[in-house]
DNA sequence: GCGTCCAGGTCTACC
DNA sequence: GGTAGACCTGGACGC
């Protein structure tokens, strides 16, 4: 195996741990976080079929150190592709300052600026984020981990005996509904995953384009809802990973947190929740998520 | 050990 | 546009 050391500069308002722990993605394969060493591990794919294991850790105040392990020498272009993918996962190029400027007007939310939170970890590809989001619907987190772990273990390109990359759309289309149900345990989500993978593999939709700047949030939301298995919860949260925060993406967990924080556990209509966050405009989805997960930062990350 | 309920929803049919 | 019922799985819970 070959090793390559890379340095990634980070913005002043970036916090590595807050970003890794922004939601549960860091526990889903092929992400892995070592809490002892405060190190994020991630398998990346270069040139469609060349796996690279990245060990990502804080180095000093404003740098990340990436230790890439790979089976053959890599070119300068491949090195820059590694840093590009890691930067994209950690949202390093996203201008979070605009969000901070907006919430600075509200003293109760200044804690977000103080701890440099607000960047949400995402996958190297939109395809992976969408598949994973479908796998979070209507089930426990442990089942999501099982389904994603099985997808990676059964269909991903192997890096070594114990670690695989996230499978491509093409790899998923080579399977069957029965395989996804029985071997992957994806249940009724199986035809949804298969249909989405087929659309991507056959280039009927170009989901990676969704990360392009300047796209209309509402048209992206409608496009997401047209994917079978993606409803308002999934679409709202996929949008957050695309850098659009206009939708709350409510689910039973976040509703429960809202009821607990604002209504002593009593259920209220979704419209009531929407109304509370309306003043925050295009940032309301991000602000909602930060507020519902504040206790993770105060106490302990639950995953 | 077994049955029931429900969890970080969505789809379809029906009104 | 609103609602009811079906849908996979697996862990928690009561008996």
């Amino acid at each position: 195996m070959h090793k390559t050391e890379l340095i990634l500069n980070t913005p002043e308002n970036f916090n590595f741990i807050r970003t890794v722990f922004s939601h549960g993605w860091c526990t889903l394969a092929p992400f892995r976080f070592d809490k002892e060493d405060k190190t994020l591990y991630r398998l990346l794919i270069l040139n469609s079929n060349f796996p690279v294991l990245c060990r990502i850790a804080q180095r000093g105040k404003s740098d990340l150190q990436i230790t890439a392990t790979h089976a053959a020498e890599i070119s300068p272009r491949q090195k820059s592709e590694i840093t590009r993918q890691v930067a994209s996962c950690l949202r390093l190029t996203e201008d979070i300052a605009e969000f901070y400027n907006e919430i600075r007007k509200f003293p109760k939310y200044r804690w977000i600026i103080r701890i440099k939170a607000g960047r949400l970890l995402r996958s190297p590809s939109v395809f992976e984020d969408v598949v994973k989001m479908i796998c979070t619907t209507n089930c426990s987190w442990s089942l999501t981990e099982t389904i994603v772990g099985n997808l990676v273990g059964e269909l991903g390109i192997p890096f070594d005996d114990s670690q695989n990359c996230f499978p491509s759309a093409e790899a998923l289309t080579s399977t069957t509904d029965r395989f996804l149900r029985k071997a992957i345990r994806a249940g009724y989500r199986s035809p949804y995953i298969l249909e989405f993978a087929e659309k991507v593999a056959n280039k009927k939709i170009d989901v990676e384009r969704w990360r392009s700047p300047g796209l209309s949030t509402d048209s992206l939301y409608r496009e997401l809802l047209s994917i079978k298995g993606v409803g308002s919860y999934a679409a709202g949260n996929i949008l957050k990973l695309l850098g659009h925060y206009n939708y709350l993406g409510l689910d039973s967990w976040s509703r429960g947190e809202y009821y607990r924080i604002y209504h002593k556990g009593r259920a209220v209509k979704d419209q009531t929740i929407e109304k509370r966050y309306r003043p925050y405009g295009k940032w309301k989805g991000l602000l909602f998520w930060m507020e519902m997960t504040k206790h993770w930062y105060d106490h302990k990350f639950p995953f």
Side-chain angles (χ1 to χ4, degrees):
Chain A
M1 283 286 179
H2 299 253
K3 277 196 192 296
T4 303
E5 299 292 343
L6 300 163
I7 299 298
L8 188 55
N9 297 124
T10 60
E12 186 278 326
N13 57 17
F14 171 74
N15 184 307
F16 177 56
I17 299 298
R18 303 295 189 205
T19 303
V20 170
F21 282 166
S22 53
H23 59 125
W25 252 216
C26 67
T27 70
L28 294 180
F31 275 118
R32 181 167 61 82
F33 188 71
D34 186 325
K35 287 185 179 174
E36 295 280 309
D37 293 343
K38 295 184 177 174
T39 302
L40 180 68
Y41 292 87
R42 169 71 209 198
L43 272 165
L44 301 177
I45 285 274
L46 306 182
N47 308 344
S48 307
N49 60 3
F50 184 72
V52 174
L53 175 62
C54 292
R55 177 187 185 278
I56 307 155
Q58 187 89 47
R59 196 192 84 145
K61 277 190 175 177
S62 58
D63 287 336
L64 292 174
Q65 178 150 28
I66 306 170
T67 307
T69 308
H70 35 91
E73 291 285 355
I74 57 173
S75 65
R77 180 174 288 189
Q78 287 174 314
K79 290 177 188 173
S80 66
E81 175 61 13
I82 291 170
T83 54
R84 189 199 66 77
Q85 289 195 34
V86 172
S88 174
C89 291
L90 296 170
R91 319 294 289 272
L92 292 181
T93 54
E94 196 159 308
D95 184 13
I96 201 82
E98 192 187 342
F99 173 57
Y100 288 173
N101 284 338
E102 184 63 28
I103 60 173
R104 193 167 280 120
K105 303 170 192 167
F106 309 97
K108 71 177 285 195
Y109 295 127
R110 286 184 189 157
W111 64 271
I112 298 170
I113 306 170
R114 192 175 63 251
I115 68 169
K116 301 178 180 180
R119 287 184 164 86
L120 305 180
L121 183 70
R122 69 182 179 188
S123 306
S125 72
V126 176
F127 174 73
E128 180 179 330
D129 278 335
V130 173
V131 171
K132 282 181 169 172
M133 200 64 76
I134 291 173
C135 295
T136 67
T137 56
N138 196 30
C139 66
S140 61
W141 185 254
S142 64
L143 181 56
T144 298
E145 289 180 315
T146 298
I147 299 170
V148 172
N150 288 340
L151 281 173
V152 170
E154 295 287 337
L155 301 168
I157 293 174
F159 171 75
D160 58 21
D161 291 343
S162 61
Q163 301 177 89
N164 290 6
C165 300
F166 192 82
S168 64
E170 290 75 13
L172 274 164
T173 56
S174 70
T175 68
T176 62
D177 180 83
R178 181 177 167 76
F179 176 81
L180 290 178
R181 285 176 190 265
K182 298 300 170 190
I184 305 298
R185 315 304 289 171
Y188 71 91
R189 302 162 197 82
S190 302
Y192 303 153
I193 295 169
L194 213 46
E195 186 178 318
F196 174 62
E198 279 166 358
K199 279 183 181 171
V200 172
N202 296 329
K203 303 193 187 318
K204 286 179 183 164
I205 50 172
D206 179 7
V207 295
E208 302 310 322
R209 180 187 59 86
W210 293 348
R211 284 185 182 170
S212 307
L215 296 180
S216 150
T217 306
D218 289 339
S219 62
L220 273 175
Y221 185 69
R222 284 193 296 275
E223 203 164 348
L224 282 163
L225 289 181
S226 72
I227 298 168
K228 282 228 181 106
V230 175
S232 59
Y233 150 77
N237 286 296
I238 293 167
L239 274 178
K240 291 173 193 166
L241 302 183
L242 296 172
H244 299 256
Y245 304 102
N246 311 36
Y247 291 85
L248 299 186
L250 297 172
D251 59 15
S252 56
W253 180 82
S254 58
R255 285 188 187 94
E257 287 302 305
Y258 180 87
Y259 303 155
R260 182 181 63 76
I261 293 167
Y262 284 110
H263 298 275
K264 297 178 181 173
R266 183 177 56 84
V268 296
K269 288 181 179 175
D270 288 355
Q271 290 167 326
T272 306
I273 308 177
E274 294 277 352
K275 195 176 169 186
R276 176 175 289 275
Y277 290 91
R278 202 170 294 151
Y280 308 110
K282 68 174 188 176
W283 298 106
K284 60 176 179 266
L286 183 55
L287 189 64
F288 170 71
W289 181 251
M290 299 312 301
E291 190 162 27
M292 294 309 105
T293 58
K294 181 174 186 292
H295 58 289
W296 293 3
Y297 302 103
D298 293 340
H299 304 290
K300 192 169 179 280
F301 187 63
F303 296 98

